[in-house]
Amino acid sequence: YNADPPVSSIAAPLSGAYYRVLAAVNGGAASAFSNVALSTVAISIRDLQTAGPNNCYSRAANTFTVACPPDAAGWFKPAGTNNPWDFNFASQPWTHFHSYVILSSATDVGGNVQVALSSAGFTFDTLLPTATMTTAQWIKASVNAFVGTSTDAPAGISGLSLALSSAAGAANSWWDGSSFSGGAPVYLAATVYTPGYPNDTWSWTRPPLTDGQAYTLRTSATDYAGNNWTRNQTPTVTYD
């Protein structure tokens, strides 16, 4: 006799995370007792930015066009065994700036159904972050840092690094932490990074510069979804 329900879990996506690529979802399941087998695992995925009731994932159409649970049409069986289970999308069905909730439910051979459904929510983000230098084109000795702003939505920026060239990006002109001799850009983290609205702000303590020399600053911004944007800031900055 067994009246205890099985449980399922969701390993990917991570709840609360941002993704720019999500080709598959997966997880696991277990019955209450080791001698009771699992019968099925079912999952459902809801697009929170699409009006219901037909805003759950259709396995047949690879779109969010079927009714959501408790309607049975909103559930589908993933691939693989029940533990672990997985589902690979034929092509990514996600839309930028949309949030999604995936549910999983397990049933054992005795007909016991998971009571508290497992869930994980995530947001899809394909927008590149941006970073803009606001340092003046000409600087003097008292200006000891390059400064600027950056922005990204919805994920937000997870890191900003900078590289500095003394010869418009030519080989062997990049600051490597001790001299302008790096053969390729050497990215160093911003000295200070402050989240804000509508823009974040950043500063990077500059290395020693040569009087009359123009410098090219290259920024590399990455958001929490993994989107990266790297660019040379213009205009160049001349130390005088």
Side-chain angles (χ1 to χ4, degrees):
Y1 176 75
N2 171 37
D4 294 330
V7 294
S8 62
S9 60
I10 301 167
L14 296 174
S15 191
Y18 294 88
Y19 290 86
R20 63 183 178 89
V21 175
L22 186 64
V25 295
N26 59 70
S31 58
F33 299 97
S34 60
N35 62 341
V36 177
L38 289 171
S39 172
T40 59
V41 170
I43 62 175
S44 174
I45 310 172
R46 182 191 300 261
D47 182 346
L48 298 181
Q49 268 63 54
T50 298
N54 298 322
N55 59 330
C56 273
Y57 181 74
S58 165
R59 180 173 182 172
N62 197 40
T63 58
F64 291 87
T65 52
V66 299
C68 292
D71 193 304
W75 292 102
F76 64 95
K77 190 179 185 309
T81 62
N82 291 323
N83 184 39
W85 58 263
D86 63 85
F87 182 75
N88 293 278
F89 299 94
S91 61
Q92 294 196 84
W94 323 112
T95 299
H96 171 66
F97 223 140
H98 281 215
S99 295
Y100 301 86
V101 172
I102 176 172
L103 303 176
S104 67
S105 176
T107 303
D108 66 22
V109 293
N112 297 300
V113 180
Q114 182 173 347
V115 175
L117 301 179
S118 298
S119 67
F122 71 95
T123 301
F124 195 65
D125 177 7
T126 57
L127 185 69
L128 298 179
T130 63
T132 302
M133 180 181 67
T134 56
T135 300
Q137 186 174 358
W138 297 81
I139 61 173
K140 55 187 178 180
S142 61
V143 179
N144 61 8
F146 293 97
V147 298
T149 62
S150 54
T151 187
D152 181 76
I157 292 176
S158 61
L160 177 74
S161 55
L162 308 97
L164 189 65
S165 168
S166 61
N172 305 315
S173 72
W174 293 96
W175 177 254
D176 62 7
S178 59
S179 66
F180 285 96
S181 59
V186 178
Y187 291 100
L188 304 171
T191 308
V192 177
Y193 193 90
T194 306
Y197 182 83
N199 298 313
D200 301 346
T201 59
W202 52 266
S203 67
W204 181 60
T205 302
R206 64 167 178 80
L209 305 179
T210 300
D211 189 30
Q213 179 71 53
Y215 294 87
T216 298
L217 183 70
R218 182 174 296 180
T219 54
S220 179
T222 303
D223 69 15
Y224 282 101
N227 299 298
N228 175 268
W229 190 62
T230 300
R231 65 165 291 189
N232 287 346
Q233 296 290 331
T234 55
T236 58
V237 174
T238 299
Y239 181 69
D240 183 14

